[in-house]
Amino acid sequence: MEWWIRRDELTITKKNNEIRLQTTIKEDTTFEMKYEMRTKELPRKVIYNTDHSFEKHFTNRIERTRDTTIRQYIYKIISPNDTLTFYTDGLSDKGRAVKEYYEFMQRFYPGEKEFKFPEVEYEEVEDFTF
């Protein structure tokens, strides 16, 4: 994950309770920061957002916009009048945030391999010090 470069661009148009979502994924295929990017455009989706769950995904994480001393960002929401930047706190937190994002996006693109989080094994280590 440390050398992984991926940028998901979501174009969102909202009118009343209907959201039109266009997703484009750009990813470095080398995993070596060589920026040999592949681009995949996913099908346009229409989301009927009567419960505002789309917005709630981001408003529930609004605390991530407050600490600007952390150098890694996970989301940028850009509108004509403002930009909200959501930050992560280290590699572990970034992994959790990516997993949450994948689970969120699977609701709109079920079965899409672009949002399948790899299985991870955890090993408990006692008396670990630096």
Side-chain angles (χ1 to χ4, degrees):
M1 174 164 292
E2 193 171 2
W3 296 100
W4 178 49
I5 299 171
R6 174 173 157 161
R7 174 182 226 113
D8 291 16
E9 296 174 1
L10 309 179
T11 303
I12 301 162
T13 307
K14 182 176 179 187
K15 185 175 182 180
N16 299 324
N17 289 329
E18 184 179 282
I19 292 176
R20 295 183 187 273
L21 173 64
Q22 177 60 58
T23 303
T24 303
I25 298 169
K26 298 177 181 176
E27 183 174 37
D28 185 354
T29 58
T30 67
F31 295 98
E32 297 174 4
M33 295 182 68
K34 292 183 180 178
Y35 298 96
E36 294 175 15
M37 307 300 274
R38 75 163 172 94
T39 301
K40 182 173 183 181
E41 192 165 308
L42 299 180
R44 184 178 310 253
K45 296 287 182 171
V46 176
I47 302 163
Y48 299 100
N49 191 40
T50 56
D51 64 354
H52 303 286
S53 62
F54 195 92
E55 296 93 332
K56 287 177 186 174
H57 174 80
F58 299 98
T59 57
N60 289 344
R61 290 155 181 78
I62 199 70
E63 74 280 352
R64 289 188 176 278
T65 65
R66 296 193 176 107
D67 189 356
T68 60
T69 61
I70 302 169
R71 60 184 168 81
Q72 294 279 331
Y73 72 88
I74 193 73
Y75 304 121
K76 278 191 181 181
I77 299 176
I78 303 168
S79 73
N81 301 320
D82 198 9
T83 298
L84 278 175
T85 304
F86 294 72
Y87 297 93
T88 59
D89 185 15
L91 198 54
S92 171
D93 185 44
K94 180 181 179 182
R96 277 191 300 278
V98 168
K99 185 176 183 194
E100 289 173 357
Y101 167 72
Y102 277 18
E103 289 168 350
F104 172 70
M105 292 301 287
Q106 282 178 356
R107 288 188 272 174
F108 311 112
Y109 294 99
E112 175 61 57
K113 68 177 181 126
E114 297 294 342
F115 301 112
K116 295 235 189 278
F117 199 76
E119 293 295 321
V120 178
E121 288 186 29
Y122 297 96
E123 180 180 339
E124 293 292 327
V125 178
E126 293 183 26
D127 298 327
F128 181 78
T129 58
F130 288 95

